[in-house]
Amino acid sequence: QVQLVESGGGLVQAGGSLRLSCAASGSIFSINAMGWYRQAPGKQRELVATITSGGSLNYSDSVKGRFTISRDDAKNTVDLQMNSLKPEDTAVYYCNANVIAATTPLLPYWGQGTQVTVSS
């Protein structure tokens, strides 16, 4: 069983910063791509940023230049540094990891979500 646990959400004023962290645990053999997604009220879940096992990065246009994704393979963690936050960044942020576990093939796993609220 693989679990993803997020931390770091909260309330911040526009222009401020937050750092989200996500730790994967369980019988992990290897982790391929990891990423962050978000879902605002009444909207579909959308990609924020991803990072492959080789370090290739992908960002949504709405966060380019403001957010930075990073991972630590020794700790099985992925972080999202969010700067210059805007009210439209308000959403529940979900961590995602594509994991090969001890007894299962490559599967996507999701965290429980962490709320980010940006006030104007």
Side-chain angles (χ1 to χ4, degrees):
Q1 186 74 5
V2 175
Q3 291 184 326
L4 302 183
V5 178
E6 300 129 336
S7 61
L11 173 65
V12 65
Q13 288 188 331
S17 297
L18 281 175
R19 187 176 183 88
L20 304 183
S21 295
C22 173
S25 63
S27 302
I28 296 171
F29 179 73
S30 67
I31 301 178
N32 288 12
M34 305 180 82
W36 289 92
Y37 293 73
R38 68 187 181 186
Q39 188 167 16
K43 295 187 177 181
Q44 290 187 333
R45 189 175 298 189
E46 64 175 1
L47 178 148
V48 175
T50 61
I51 180 168
T52 67
S53 56
S56 295
L57 308 176
N58 183 44
Y59 294 96
S60 70
D61 288 342
S62 62
V63 307
K64 279 181 182 176
R66 301 188 297 122
F67 291 11
T68 303
I69 189 171
S70 60
R71 62 189 284 171
D72 184 333
D73 290 334
K75 298 180 180 179
N76 290 335
T77 59
V78 60
D79 291 350
L80 185 69
Q81 178 66 42
M82 305 185 293
N83 298 329
S84 302
L85 282 160
K86 304 176 181 180
E88 51 264 43
D89 294 318
T90 295
V92 177
Y93 283 70
Y94 296 91
C95 171
N96 166 266
N98 296 285
V99 179
I100 298 175
T103 59
T104 57
L106 184 65
L107 292 173
Y109 293 86
W110 294 90
Q112 80 283 0
T114 185
Q115 177 71 46
V116 171
T117 302
V118 184
S119 63
S120 57

